[in-house]
Amino acid sequence: MIFILLYLAKKFRMKNKIKNKVKGSDILQLEVVAIGGYEEVGRNMTAVNVDGEIIIFDMGLRLDRVMIHEDSDVSKMHSLNLIEMGVIPDDTVMKNIEGEVKAIVVSHGHLDHIGAITKLAHRYNAPIIGTPYTLELVKREILSEKKFDVRNPLITLNAKETMDLTPNLSLEFIKITHSIPDAVLPVLHTPYGAIVYGNDFKFDNIPIVGEKPDYRAIKKVGKKGVICMISESTRVNFEGKTPSEGVAASLLKNDLLGTDNENNGVVITTFSSHIARIKSITEIAERMGRIPVLIGRSMAKYCGIAEDIGLVEFPKNTKMAGDPTSVDRIFHQVMKEGKEKYMLVVTGHQGEEGAVLSRMATNKTPFRFERHDQVVFSADVIPNPMNAAQRYMLEARLKLAGVRLFKGAHVSGHAAKEDHRDMIRWLNPEHIIPAHGDFNLTATYAKLAEEEGYRLGEDVHLLRNGQSLKFERII
Amino acid sequence: MIFILLYLAKKFRMKNKIKNKVKGSDILQLEVVAIGGYEEVGRNMTAVNVDGEIIIFDMGLRLDRVMIHEDSDVSKMHSLNLIEMGVIPDDTVMKNIEGEVKAIVVSHGHLDHIGAITKLAHRYNAPIIGTPYTLELVKREILSEKKFDVRNPLITLNAKETMDLTPNLSLEFIKITHSIPDAVLPVLHTPYGAIVYGNDFKFDNIPIVGEKPDYRAIKKVGKKGVICMISESTRVNFEGKTPSEGVAASLLKNDLLGTDNENNGVVITTFSSHIARIKSITEIAERMGRIPVLIGRSMAKYCGIAEDIGLVEFPKNTKMAGDPTSVDRIFHQVMKEGKEKYMLVVTGHQGEEGAVLSRMATNKTPFRFERHDQVVFSADVIPNPMNAAQRYMLEARLKLAGVRLFKGAHVSGHAAKEDHRDMIRWLNPEHIIPAHGDFNLTATYAKLAEEEGYRLGEDVHLLRNGQSLKFERII
Amino acid sequence: MIFILLYLAKKFRMKNKIKNKVKGSDILQLEVVAIGGYEEVGRNMTAVNVDGEIIIFDMGLRLDRVMIHEDSDVSKMHSLNLIEMGVIPDDTVMKNIEGEVKAIVVSHGHLDHIGAITKLAHRYNAPIIGTPYTLELVKREILSEKKFDVRNPLITLNAKETMDLTPNLSLEFIKITHSIPDAVLPVLHTPYGAIVYGNDFKFDNIPIVGEKPDYRAIKKVGKKGVICMISESTRVNFEGKTPSEGVAASLLKNDLLGTDNENNGVVITTFSSHIARIKSITEIAERMGRIPVLIGRSMAKYCGIAEDIGLVEFPKNTKMAGDPTSVDRIFHQVMKEGKEKYMLVVTGHQGEEGAVLSRMATNKTPFRFERHDQVVFSADVIPNPMNAAQRYMLEARLKLAGVRLFKGAHVSGHAAKEDHRDMIRWLNPEHIIPAHGDFNLTATYAKLAEEEGYRLGEDVHLLRNGQSLKFERII
Amino acid sequence: MIFILLYLAKKFRMKNKIKNKVKGSDILQLEVVAIGGYEEVGRNMTAVNVDGEIIIFDMGLRLDRVMIHEDSDVSKMHSLNLIEMGVIPDDTVMKNIEGEVKAIVVSHGHLDHIGAITKLAHRYNAPIIGTPYTLELVKREILSEKKFDVRNPLITLNAKETMDLTPNLSLEFIKITHSIPDAVLPVLHTPYGAIVYGNDFKFDNIPIVGEKPDYRAIKKVGKKGVICMISESTRVNFEGKTPSEGVAASLLKNDLLGTDNENNGVVITTFSSHIARIKSITEIAERMGRIPVLIGRSMAKYCGIAEDIGLVEFPKNTKMAGDPTSVDRIFHQVMKEGKEKYMLVVTGHQGEEGAVLSRMATNKTPFRFERHDQVVFSADVIPNPMNAAQRYMLEARLKLAGVRLFKGAHVSGHAAKEDHRDMIRWLNPEHIIPAHGDFNLTATYAKLAEEEGYRLGEDVHLLRNGQSLKFERII
């Protein structure tokens, strides 16, 4: 005997637009498979199966898990080990899904969205589709992989463009903003309505780099009919609206131009992939008459690529130092010519042991901190005790050296509660699946959806990794 | 066109005992209806429908909602208004349930479990079944009701007893512990297995008043087969195990016997219905050579009933004062004869404006606080900003008077995480529905269940008020 | 036998400039008397006695104390009662100070700095000196006082001006920024060096209304020699630098221009005296094509005066409604013509019961909230359980009405840790006395001072209300 | 010119008893020198100079500072380096104190009170005086020291005994309770009254090991006259009274006897020096029919000494394993014979990397954790991000292994606010100096003292490391 559980929803929200869509066809088969990121922040992966044609969205890493298992070099490890450790999505559930993978779509270039491609993509005979900046980052990942050989074709699709994936399915990239350039909101157009993959995004009207979100396109999709939206939920527990990147720039100006730092060293640390932030910093450096120097391997990688493909233009005198030799050289130069001539933008905002700022603080570089030097953390502490400890150690060392700490000049790249509400109202999706968060986040999203008339288990759904939601038609 | 959502669970947990149960019958119809308490702490109400025979568990109030709507006298209000205000469970969903209500079962005497009986019970042609102490409290509620006339028969069932409700259904009351005497774990025995209503409970091996939980009976039900457990979740986010009432008694002794209070007033406030706590306090008073006085309307009510029906015996010299005149008289006596001769046990641990302690602190009684008098709060602050404010005001006033505050002598009446884990392991239920809490609590319970091998949406279910879970047989 | 305690500082910081100052005179007599605000946030009052000539700085209220004592109408109460209740500074200690009060100097117009003038000033035969906006507010206070008749002369001194108080003492008003216009940093020039009264201030380079702080003047005073600085400490426990008012304007734009609110009501609440904030709001209203309406008694008072004396110019179509009749009239008009045409700026950001926003939320005005209306709190919650409770009630009611809440668009008016460090470095005072805070704040300030080379009890001093610090010359 | 600051206290608390004490002598010279522990929790050291005869109290370590400076082996380091790192007290200030050190008195055996003896004691020509258990621990410290040769005589003084130090000074050891056996409250009797060194203590009436505090002796000293009390303040910010060790025993019983753990491993971790706690644990083991095993180097050291000198008697079948070989052997035995036969008491409650529990969790011992094994943390997390991170890592690993965590069975060894109030009332000291805490703790103590009639800067004093408080007679 087998039980089956029916959530007998009492009132269904009927929508004509969807009704009309399914003209001739009698059988609808639509399934959303939650593979990763539905129980955590990190390792995002979702599959959508439309009548046997499968589209995968994102293949990401979960970095905090690597910390628990010491001494693991991810680049040399096998998928199955990484799955067992919870570092990458467990895509073995794909065996149970009947259909053929037609495309792997990446939303943006953060590692929790593209970092597992090198471990998983080769198992699928399908191209990887993304925007130019994202695909450049995917290429770098593939180059640094030591275990697997990933040969999936890479297909560029620009924001604001649409391409056909199969005769039945097309993919639209709506311009969206996030804390990395060239992020998009992928929309899968199916015969039954659109599937929107809203993971990750914010609504930023002063993004500093790139354009504003394409609100018109979002509303247009909403009007045509959205059958299901998958939405990130990492910051839905913040009331109000996430401030724009323009606010971060104002905060940086406040800290950097308003403090008595003329004769002191000025060091800033932020996310290497946050090109907009780094652009703001370099422009403030220019205004202060200091030479901006971008220091650190990943700092040079992300900024270099962004400049190479024309996404951003840093001030002409900006210097970059990625490999250890150039990092050393630039620090020697700074110490010799005078700190007050430079603004150093470095990796290590979480206090990571090997990163540039921690190495500076423990005198492992030629740089020496002095009393009244200024260090600006333009980043949140990732809320995790191990990060907190690393940051604490770093800050304790800086304070012992008499350094002045500034920590508030940051805004998030994730939508807050009222941003999400606008998204729901504009897209008006038939069903919503919150993603990218543990229960406390996805459940908070579900509560928001209930405020907008949805109901848990009826049209807003909490999935766990490995579960799928199937839509079927009754007559 | 209508969609229906199927959670296609990948692996079902098969259990022989349940298989065997459903011998001849081909059609199983079993439904759990979440009426109240599934989105909040408070207003508990659940219905279970077995082949058209419906059993209701609890009918409670949600008191914090009354505060938002000012100036509302609940005893005079109509059910529909109270439903709209969110104060009592919305039992209008019962219209959609096909079947006949056979019994209203109450688990224990707290108002969030029995407080809505006076507003809802008269609509059902069914008896109310509970333990002696619980039913006495129900009677008092009915007497003080000013709007409705409740005439349902009251049927006493003692802990450790079982009674037949219908030819198919029987009800067992397993002895359990909680922060009120005579609490039970109601078990509904059905042809398809047992339904356990675990809302509320703790596992207390030194309960001070009454016996320990009947672990043997719990395990026996578990062995026979539990198809579904409804479980409270109000304290599942606390790791470990809830301390026993014996610990509270030790803490009280520490505060009361270990402080230099010989020549000062000693006042203690706790939950009026917490008879075990009050017993410990009166016994410590005896040891200190002080006369215990129980002061306040509800203090006299709950303690009086408990003594009347033989649940507890307070020290012989214990005094009680419930109505305003006796309260005044006793305070006069205390002030005249000397505070150091008495130990005052009063209502008002949350700083409620009309309660005895707040009135004492604002000199609205003949009692006067003096420097170095001792006030012991033997209760948590209910985590809600309005309660916090009331308590803050009360404490600020006491401090201005030079009173010494003691706040730690309390233990909860609710199971913590590891208590719940033992319950799950002993009952081994086919399905679990966490109740009595908002998302953050029910979701935390679901995570615990997942640690024990359950899976959200498959065999542990998050219901919202008004939703039901139906079990049907396939084949 | 009497003990006297000597803090025998081991190393004294010698300063030539001060040496030279005290030429002919053999006897130095300088005393700073901490009267109010040294154990709390509120009721600021400090006296400085220089060779028998006494200058008083500020006479403020402590409003949270009024809440504890219910039903007290401050305007009708006597000083001694208010002193006993802790509502106003206890200036009875002035009896022990030998000398004559020459002036009462007010730093800015907030009630915790001027609110006790009506209760205390008449006891001193001395003029009240302040900037134009501050003095206008003092006048209003005097007019509404019902108990005392205050006739002290009011003398205007503009920011950037200096006046002689006595042959030995002169008063300089350095332009400073704070959350109210026309705030200054009063500097008392004495024969022994300057006394700087830094209570309250922030360093804001984009103040929206008025000029930036006069950094040049601050540094100049520092170069001449500061014998003692009294400094506020209310926000010294925040690392970094307080963001400028320009950041608040950006945050408001983000919330107001970036949300889908075209067809909904938009209501903003902020501090009535925060003219810069209100100016930003009205300008955003203009950009949104909405008519700004300033509603509430104190909103009309503070904004009206600011406009009258030419400190600010609101958009031409800005409306104000202060008295109950005009408030009602404007709400009728808004409801009739359509909320989407107006932006309402109202009092009540703390959820105060009688204030406009709370009255709106409980339908005590003609205004009706509807689903998706937007309410922006441009203010912090004052960290106090009673305020928290009021705000919670207000927010709960707004949420029940489906209102969208925005709470982050605010920056403080108080200096943060690194602002204070700059102030110390620029003024380089011989001694520092932190003020305007409880121990946890003044002690945090003392720790900061220790980072800059001071030492508790030696040249940074924690005073309690009623204590004084005397400087005497040895040899 | 030099300034000297006089706190001219307005009202002095006169006490006859002290007046009478100083009969013939015209000159009183009494000085309390704060050497270490006055700006932190850790490295306690205080000197009292009475007319040129100096008594030193405690010489302790500050362990959290060692963590910031990586890779430092304290046992091999020189005093001056350790002073510079802030690890041991900076006793170089002793050069400025005129007089001769007559004795080094140690209050109890915790490292923050005795851990710097090996680095500092050899500089003083004076004996070390302590109770038997404390001196045994001092001996072990001296034996493991690799840099200095400490040859100061060790003199035993039992609790409840008094000895003459010089013709003018005598030392009394009052029996007190703390989280280590044989702790005392040293009282220095001087011609001018008593100096009480209350650092550390709690008032525990059910101490499990040893006797209750000698309240009678405390009150007797108070009646004779206390000129100054130095008091710890580490837990003064907790309202009420610290629970007794008997409560911890009840909590342990609750966790260990009340959980379904019959067939599983049971592991407990607590402070190695907390002999009373370990005694309770072993007795519960006996009741459970399990063999208690004390595992870890320091566990064996502290428990071994306590048993050797007859302070405690563990159950006969108790096993100890200190050195690596025996630890390994015992784990092999446990795994072979069955975990359910043993109760393992191990070091590592803070998740310290090298400690036994962390090694167990990372499979560096023969022990293997299995699903449903029970781990009880009978200790608080020391509030410091690095400890938090270590504990987080440890707990994360245990949870991944399916271990059940219990964390509440602990009570502090430090007095809480109302304990301190009783101490103040009993001793009624002329002056109080709070110690053993940062500003936030010592300032909280000062507030408590103000509640009891003292006043900051007058008779309760906040000293910083290196400062001294001198008492002199006027006339």
Side-chain angles (χ1 to χ4, degrees), chain A residues 216-397:
Chain A
R216 185 191 303 258
I218 292 170
K219 289 172 188 168
K220 193 174 154 203
V221 168
K223 285 218 180 86
K224 276 180 64 184
V226 174
I227 193 163
C228 184
M229 166 172 71
I230 295 113
S231 174
E232 67 138 307
S233 57
T234 47
R235 219 172 164 265
V236 70
N237 52 350
F238 286 78
E239 285 187 293
K241 186 175 162 62
T242 299
S244 80
E245 188 57 28
V247 170
S250 303
L251 289 166
L252 282 167
K253 274 176 211 151
N254 192 65
D255 283 352
L256 291 167
L257 304 176
T259 302
D260 188 346
N261 57 12
E262 263 178 52
N263 304 309
N264 300 102
V266 174
V267 177
I268 301 168
T269 181
T270 189
F271 297 91
S272 301
S273 59
H274 204 324
I275 305 304
R277 187 71 48 82
I278 296 165
K279 183 173 188 338
S280 298
I281 294 166
T282 55
E283 285 172 358
I284 297 170
E286 210 172 15
R287 210 162 130 185
M288 293 168 80
R290 287 177 183 248
I291 301 165
V293 196
L294 313 181
I295 306 177
R297 205 171 47 83
S298 67
M299 192 62 75
K301 178 179 87 173
Y302 286 102
C303 294
I305 297 176
E307 212 172 32
D308 287 354
I309 68 173
L311 279 180
V312 68
E313 206 172 325
F314 296 115
K316 290 241 170 72
N317 62 347
T318 305
K319 293 172 186 297
M320 282 191 207
D323 61 288
T325 322
S326 8
V327 170
D328 248 49
R329 199 183 311 125
I330 200 80
F331 276 132
H332 270 301
Q333 192 177 339
V334 167
M335 290 307 288
K336 198 178 133 204
E337 298 186 3
K339 291 171 181 176
E340 70 283 357
K341 296 194 172 59
Y342 292 90
M343 180 184 287
L344 310 179
V345 188
V346 303
T347 58
H349 48 85
Q350 299 298 312
E352 307 91 324
E353 260 187 54
V356 176
L357 187 53
S358 285
R359 294 177 57 237
M360 290 166 78
T362 47
N363 294 332
K364 286 175 186 150
T365 77
F367 186 88
R368 288 296 169 271
F369 276 111
E370 286 162 296
R371 201 169 149 66
H372 293 142
D373 281 349
Q374 180 178 25
V375 170
V376 177
F377 288 90
S378 186
D380 281 345
V381 188
I382 297 167
N384 160 317
M386 286 173 298
N387 283 82
Q390 286 181 332
R391 262 291 285 267
Y392 174 82
M393 288 282 273
L394 173 58
E395 291 185 21
R397 284 168 180 149

Side-chain angles (χ1 to χ4, degrees), chain B residues 157-174:
Chain B
L157 182 66
N158 285 299
K160 303 199 169 181
E161 291 179 355
T162 299
M163 74 183 294
D164 287 341
L165 301 178
T166 73
N168 278 320
L169 303 178
S170 68
L171 176 69
E172 179 182 2
F173 271 4
I174 296 182

Side-chain angles (χ1 to χ4, degrees), chain A residues 18 27 33 96 122 139 146 166 171 232 289 328 334 355 383 421 451:
Chain A
I18 290 181
I27 303 155
V33 190
N96 309 321
H122 64 280
K139 276 183 212 163
K146 289 164 189 155
T166 73
L171 176 69
E232 67 138 307
D328 248 49
V334 167
R421 194 192 304 278
E451 285 177 29

Side-chain angles (χ1 to χ4, degrees), chain C residues 23-305:
Chain C
K23 284 171 267 173
S25 151
D26 263 0
I27 305 156
L28 156 69
Q29 205 193 343
L30 183 63
E31 188 178 11
V32 177
V33 190
I35 304 175
Y38 291 80
E39 304 184 26
E40 63 265 301
V41 172
R43 61 164 175 161
N44 290 285
M45 181 170 174
T46 301
V48 176
N49 185 359
V50 189
D51 296 328
E53 295 178 334
I54 300 172
I55 309 300
I56 290 174
F57 293 94
D58 287 343
M59 287 178 168
L61 276 183
R62 181 178 174 187
L63 286 168
D64 63 329
R65 270 298 160 90
V66 184
M67 285 175 161
I68 303 276
H69 305 272
E70 298 161 322
D71 312 320
S72 10
D73 179 353
V74 170
S75 71
K76 291 180 183 157
M77 292 181 71
H78 194 281
S79 324
L80 292 179
N81 295 332
L82 290 166
I83 286 173
E84 203 191 353
M85 286 162 58
V87 173
I88 63 171
D90 180 2
D91 74 340
T92 59
V93 299
M94 290 297 286
K95 289 173 210 155
N96 308 322
I97 311 297
E98 279 175 42
E100 208 179 323
V101 174
K102 297 293 185 187
I104 298 165
V105 177
V106 283
S107 59
H108 64 282
H110 281 148
L111 283 177
D112 53 345
H113 293 257
I114 67 165
I117 284 177
T118 56
K119 303 296 178 185
L120 299 176
H122 64 281
R123 311 203 213 181
Y124 303 98
N125 181 18
I128 300 168
I129 305 173
T131 56
Y133 188 62
T134 308
L135 285 193
E136 280 304 315
L137 293 171
V138 168
K139 277 183 212 163
R140 299 289 179 104
E141 284 297 303
I142 291 173
L143 285 173
S144 64
E145 168 67 16
K146 290 163 189 156
K147 187 89 195 167
F148 295 106
D149 192 13
V150 178
R151 296 168 180 269
N152 308 51
L154 303 183
I155 300 178
T156 299
L157 182 66
N158 285 298
K160 304 198 167 180
E161 290 178 356
T162 299
M163 75 184 292
D164 287 340
L165 301 178
T166 73
N168 277 318
L169 303 178
S170 68
L171 176 68
E172 179 183 1
F173 271 3
I174 295 181
K175 173 74 208 144
I176 202 73
T177 43
H178 188 39
S179 47
I180 190 169
D182 225 6
V184 291
L185 192 74
V187 177
L188 183 68
H189 293 283
T190 84
Y192 316 112
I195 308 282
V196 178
Y197 181 74
N199 193 7
D200 302 337
F201 73 96
K202 76 183 279 193
F203 291 137
D204 193 334
N205 294 331
I206 310 177
I208 305 291
V209 162
E211 295 173 37
K212 291 201 293 182
D214 187 350
Y215 299 113
R216 185 191 303 259
I218 293 170
K219 289 173 187 167
K220 194 173 153 203
V221 169
K223 284 218 181 86
K224 276 180 67 186
V226 174
I227 194 164
C228 185
M229 166 172 71
I230 295 113
S231 175
E232 67 139 305
S233 58
T234 48
R235 218 173 165 267
V236 70
N237 52 350
F238 285 78
E239 284 189 293
K241 185 174 164 63
T242 298
S244 81
E245 188 58 26
V247 169
S250 305
L251 289 166
L252 282 167
K253 274 176 212 153
N254 191 66
D255 283 353
L256 291 166
L257 304 177
T259 302
D260 188 346
N261 57 12
E262 263 177 52
N263 305 308
N264 300 101
V266 174
V267 178
I268 301 168
T269 181
T270 189
F271 298 91
S272 301
S273 59
H274 204 325
I275 306 303
R277 187 70 47 83
I278 296 165
K279 185 174 189 334
S280 298
I281 293 167
T282 55
E283 285 172 359
I284 296 169
E286 212 173 13
R287 211 163 130 184
M288 293 168 79
R290 287 176 183 248
I291 301 166
V293 197
L294 313 182
I295 305 176
R297 205 170 48 82
S298 67
M299 191 63 75
K301 179 178 88 172
Y302 286 101
C303 294
I305 296 175

Side-chain angles (χ1 to χ4, degrees), chain B residues 142-388:
Chain B
I142 291 173
L143 285 173
S144 64
E145 168 67 17
K146 291 165 187 154
K147 188 88 195 169
F148 295 106
D149 193 14
V150 178
R151 296 168 180 270
N152 307 52
L154 302 184
I155 300 179
T156 299
L157 182 66
N158 285 299
K160 303 199 169 181
E161 291 179 355
T162 299
M163 74 183 294
D164 287 341
L165 301 178
T166 73
N168 278 320
L169 303 178
S170 68
L171 176 69
E172 179 182 2
F173 271 4
I174 296 182
K175 172 74 209 144
I176 203 72
T177 43
H178 188 40
S179 47
I180 189 167
D182 226 6
V184 291
L185 193 73
V187 177
L188 184 69
H189 294 282
T190 83
Y192 316 112
I195 308 282
V196 178
Y197 180 74
N199 193 6
D200 300 336
F201 72 98
K202 77 183 279 194
F203 291 137
D204 193 335
N205 294 331
I206 310 176
I208 306 291
V209 162
E211 295 172 37
K212 291 200 293 181
D214 187 350
Y215 299 113
R216 186 190 305 258
I218 292 171
K219 288 172 189 169
K220 194 174 151 200
V221 168
K223 284 216 181 87
K224 276 180 64 185
V226 174
I227 194 165
C228 185
M229 168 172 70
I230 295 113
S231 175
E232 68 138 308
S233 58
T234 48
R235 218 172 164 266
V236 69
N237 52 350
F238 285 78
E239 284 188 293
K241 186 174 163 61
T242 299
S244 82
E245 188 57 26
V247 169
S250 304
L251 289 165
L252 282 167
K253 275 175 213 153
N254 191 66
D255 283 353
L256 292 167
L257 303 176
T259 302
D260 188 347
N261 57 13
E262 264 176 51
N263 305 308
N264 299 103
V266 174
V267 178
I268 301 169
T269 182
T270 189
F271 297 91
S272 301
S273 59
H274 204 323
I275 307 303
R277 187 70 48 82
I278 295 164
K279 185 174 185 340
S280 298
I281 293 167
T282 56
E283 285 173 358
I284 296 169
E286 213 173 13
R287 211 163 132 184
M288 293 169 78
R290 288 175 182 247
I291 301 167
V293 198
L294 313 181
I295 305 176
R297 206 171 47 82
S298 67
M299 191 62 73
K301 179 179 86 173
Y302 286 102
C303 294
I305 296 175
E307 212 171 31
D308 288 353
I309 68 173
L311 278 180
V312 69
E313 206 172 325
F314 295 116
K316 290 238 169 73
N317 61 349
T318 304
K319 294 171 184 295
M320 282 192 207
D323 61 288
T325 322
S326 8
V327 170
D328 248 48
R329 198 183 312 125
I330 200 80
F331 276 133
H332 270 300
Q333 193 176 335
V334 168
M335 291 306 288
K336 198 178 134 204
E337 299 187 2
K339 289 172 183 175
E340 69 285 358
K341 296 193 173 57
Y342 292 90
M343 181 186 283
L344 310 179
V345 189
V346 303
T347 59
H349 49 84
Q350 299 298 313
E352 306 90 324
E353 260 186 54
V356 176
L357 188 52
S358 284
R359 294 179 54 239
M360 291 166 78
T362 48
N363 294 332
K364 285 173 186 152
T365 78
F367 186 89
R368 289 295 170 272
F369 276 112
E370 287 161 297
R371 199 168 150 68
H372 293 142
D373 280 350
Q374 180 179 24
V375 171
V376 177
F377 288 89
S378 186
D380 281 347
V381 189
I382 297 167
N384 158 317
M386 285 172 300
N387 284 81

